[in-house]
Amino acid sequence: MSDKELRVTKIKDGTVIDHIRGGYALDVVKILGITGKEKRVMTIAINVPSKSIGVKDIVKIEGKALSPQEVNRIALVAPHASINIVRDYAVVEKLEVKLPSAIEGIVKCVNPCCISNAEEPVTSKFHVKSEEPLLLKCHYCGVTLEQADVLGKL
Ligand code: CTP
Ligand code: ZN
């Protein structure tokens, strides 16, 4: 590597979310509830060249191993991401993102009249009708959300 290139270094402990579709890293971060105000070192790379998928995004979160629930959330915005748990510089685990058949309390319904948007709301719940393209059906009002609705309503 020449001195003109800036290398994203390896991390000691934490999680590397790799092979995110180019441009979707910030959505991944958002769906994990990460604001940047946490006292944590994070690296976000957007639209970097990838041999296998043209361009990709990478998110490295130091000092935190994602829970299986957090990994599953990522599937909503980056179904082909690979999750690497790193300990003492080595990848000790590779997790697959997998959408559960129902999504509770993460996505907001687009229907303003849905009881999940009422003044005293019930927790939102969606059934996964299709993973790619993403189609979610509201358990309460039956409205269908597409990927763009989900991203706008996190
Ligand atoms: N990684 C890291 N810090 C480490 C180890 C790995 O940031 N201490 C990152 C690598 O840069 C890579 C990802 O974690 O983005 C997966 O690492 P590895 O499994 O070594 O790479 P590949 O074999 O290329 O992974 P894959 O098979 O998923 O393509
Ligand atoms: Zn609804």
Side-chain angles (χ1 to χ4, degrees), residues 2-133:
S2 81
D3 58 7
K4 292 206 179 102
E5 286 175 278
L6 175 64
R7 190 160 67 108
V8 181
T9 55
K10 296 205 162 196
I11 62 171
K12 182 172 187 289
D13 294 290
T15 305
V16 176
I17 307 164
D18 198 359
H19 302 121
I20 301 165
R21 182 156 38 123
Y24 284 80
L26 298 180
D27 297 311
V28 168
V29 165
K30 194 173 178 192
I31 210 165
L32 291 173
I34 292 169
T35 64
K37 304 290 190 298
E38 303 83 8
K39 299 268 176 279
R40 215 176 265 303
V41 177
M42 286 192 287
T43 311
I44 297 174
I46 297 178
N47 291 328
V48 297
S50 157
K51 280 185 203 96
S52 53
I53 54 174
V55 294
K56 67 173 181 179
D57 289 4
I58 309 167
V59 174
K60 301 192 182 195
I61 306 166
E62 295 190 35
K64 179 182 167 74
L66 293 186
S67 69
Q69 288 87 336
E70 288 173 309
V71 168
N72 288 346
R73 279 180 181 219
I74 294 170
L76 275 171
V77 293
H80 300 297
S82 38
I83 317 286
N84 304 273
I85 308 295
V86 175
R87 268 189 222 115
D88 205 13
Y89 293 103
V91 175
V92 293
E93 205 176 349
K94 283 190 184 268
L95 302 171
E96 225 184 293
V97 296
K98 197 173 176 308
L99 262 191
S101 57
I103 317 280
E104 284 184 71
I106 300 166
V107 178
K108 226 169 117 37
C109 186
V110 292
N111 173 7
C113 301
C114 180
I115 59 167
S116 66
N117 288 322
E119 218 164 292
E120 282 179 40
V122 294
T123 305
S124 72
K125 182 172 176 178
F126 294 87
H127 301 283
V128 177
K129 291 290 159 200
S130 158
E131 295 196 12
E132 263 198 301

